[in-house]
Amino acid sequence: YFFSKANAKKISLRKKYDRFRELTPILAYKRDKQKDLNEVKLLEWRLLTQLSDWQGKVKNIDKILGDYEALPIWKRMGMQVAGKNIDTLAEYRVIYRGKIHDLMKEVEVAQRRIKELIPEATVPKDLRPEYDELKEEIKRLGGTKKIREMLSAGEGTNRQAFAQNKRILTCTPGRILTDPLFRKVPYDLLIIDDAPRIPAPLLLAATGTIRERIILSGDTSDLLPGEPGTPSSPYRWPQAFLETLLGPSAQPTSVG
């Protein structure tokens, strides 16, 4: 029983550890992709900021050219002195529109990359809590190195070695009778709970593996023979077996 339970715990621990190892590179990949996504989004923001600035300059030139005929002579003269006559403004507008065109291409590339990165960087909503729970469990057990040591220490462990290293084993009399393990591993003490309700053959089979002491526990009234003429319970011990166990004149005694 204890071997099976310990083995089940080990299997469960290995599954958790393997799942943690499976999720770790996945989330690391997602984390790297999220970093790339943040960088591309920052680049997109910078490109859009520059694009807005150039569009503002083109809009300002369009306004000046549209209002040029209505400007007073002195303002026209001032623009020409500053090198902003009609011809130069038109040239600037061509240059600015070229920059806008190039920036829009870069923005399109960045936005396409963002669309590609979003699914790659997105962590499924159930994956993160599962990983965090596994990570906390592994941390509680001492970390991945400790778990590897625990798992490797149990490699090749057999049932007999497991039983020999345990001070106490709990099982049924039927298990003692049918499991060959108990014929290989003798014990010093046998404690039988609710012994009167165990059939005598099973009880005798269980006592055959003990080297020193046997302690029987149960309701002593179940040891008494039935009334004359009444069929005996299948759980009651035969009178001959009771006398052999306790002696012809002995009677079971209550404890506590």
Side-chain angles (χ1 to χ4, degrees):
Y1 169 78
F2 286 103
F3 177 81
S4 300
K5 187 175 181 180
N7 197 42
K9 288 183 178 180
K10 189 186 301 178
I11 292 174
S12 176
L13 177 60
R14 180 171 291 281
K15 286 182 179 179
K16 291 181 179 179
Y17 178 64
D18 290 343
R19 180 60 174 164
F20 176 77
R21 292 180 60 193
E22 178 186 355
L23 293 180
T24 298
I26 294 176
L27 291 178
Y29 173 81
K30 296 286 186 182
R31 184 170 57 251
D32 291 341
K33 291 301 178 180
Q34 183 62 52
K35 183 179 178 181
D36 294 342
L37 178 60
N38 293 338
E39 291 178 354
V40 176
K41 283 185 175 181
L42 179 60
L43 174 62
E44 180 197 27
W45 176 80
R46 290 175 177 172
L47 292 173
L48 290 174
T49 301
Q50 295 178 26
L51 182 62
S52 178
D53 292 341
W54 291 117
Q55 287 174 338
K57 291 180 179 181
V58 170
K59 185 177 180 180
N60 186 47
I61 290 176
D62 289 340
K63 185 177 184 306
I64 292 175
L65 293 177
D67 298 340
Y68 185 79
E69 296 298 330
L71 292 176
I73 296 296
W74 64 268
K75 196 166 186 178
R76 292 184 189 181
M77 296 294 294
M79 290 174 58
Q80 291 178 0
V81 171
K84 293 183 179 180
N85 53 36
I86 295 295
D87 295 334
T88 56
L89 287 175
E91 291 175 1
Y92 285 144
R93 182 169 59 181
V94 172
I95 294 173
Y96 295 164
R97 284 178 175 173
K99 291 183 177 295
I100 290 173
H101 179 73
D102 294 339
L103 284 171
M104 290 184 67
K105 286 185 176 180
E106 293 185 39
V107 169
E108 290 177 359
V109 172
Q111 290 177 343
R112 283 199 302 268
R113 183 57 180 155
I114 288 173
K115 289 181 180 180
E116 294 173 357
L117 286 172
I118 286 177
E120 295 179 1
T122 301
V123 178
K125 62 179 182 179
D126 296 334
L127 201 62
R128 173 61 67 178
E130 180 186 4
Y131 176 79
D132 291 340
E133 182 178 349
L134 291 172
K135 184 177 180 180
E136 186 65 26
E137 178 70 10
I138 288 175
K139 181 179 179 181
R140 184 183 66 82
L141 294 174
T144 55
K145 182 179 179 181
K146 181 65 175 180
I147 290 179
R148 286 196 300 269
E149 292 175 355
M150 292 168 59
L151 293 175
S152 62
E155 296 295 335
T157 301
N158 55 45
R159 295 173 66 243
Q160 182 174 345
F162 178 86
Q164 288 174 332
N165 290 328
K166 296 300 178 182
R167 296 176 60 87
I168 299 175
L169 286 181
T170 303
C171 63
T172 63
R175 183 62 178 269
I176 295 178
L177 179 63
T178 58
D179 195 330
L181 171 67
F182 293 96
R183 292 193 290 272
K184 300 177 182 178
V185 183
Y187 285 88
D188 297 331
L189 172 65
L190 174 65
I191 301 176
I192 303 177
D193 187 27
D194 208 8
R197 301 192 64 81
I198 299 175
L202 286 180
L203 190 65
L204 287 173
T207 59
T209 62
I210 306 306
R211 294 184 295 192
E212 295 185 8
R213 300 177 61 194
I214 300 173
I215 298 177
L216 303 180
S217 170
D219 187 353
T220 56
S221 63
D222 289 338
L223 291 173
L224 300 178
E227 295 294 334
T230 60
S232 60
S233 168
Y235 293 107
R236 291 188 184 278
W237 295 346
Q239 181 64 27
F241 176 71
L242 182 60
E243 292 178 355
T244 301
L245 183 66
L246 301 176
S249 60
Q251 292 293 328
T253 58
S254 300
V255 178

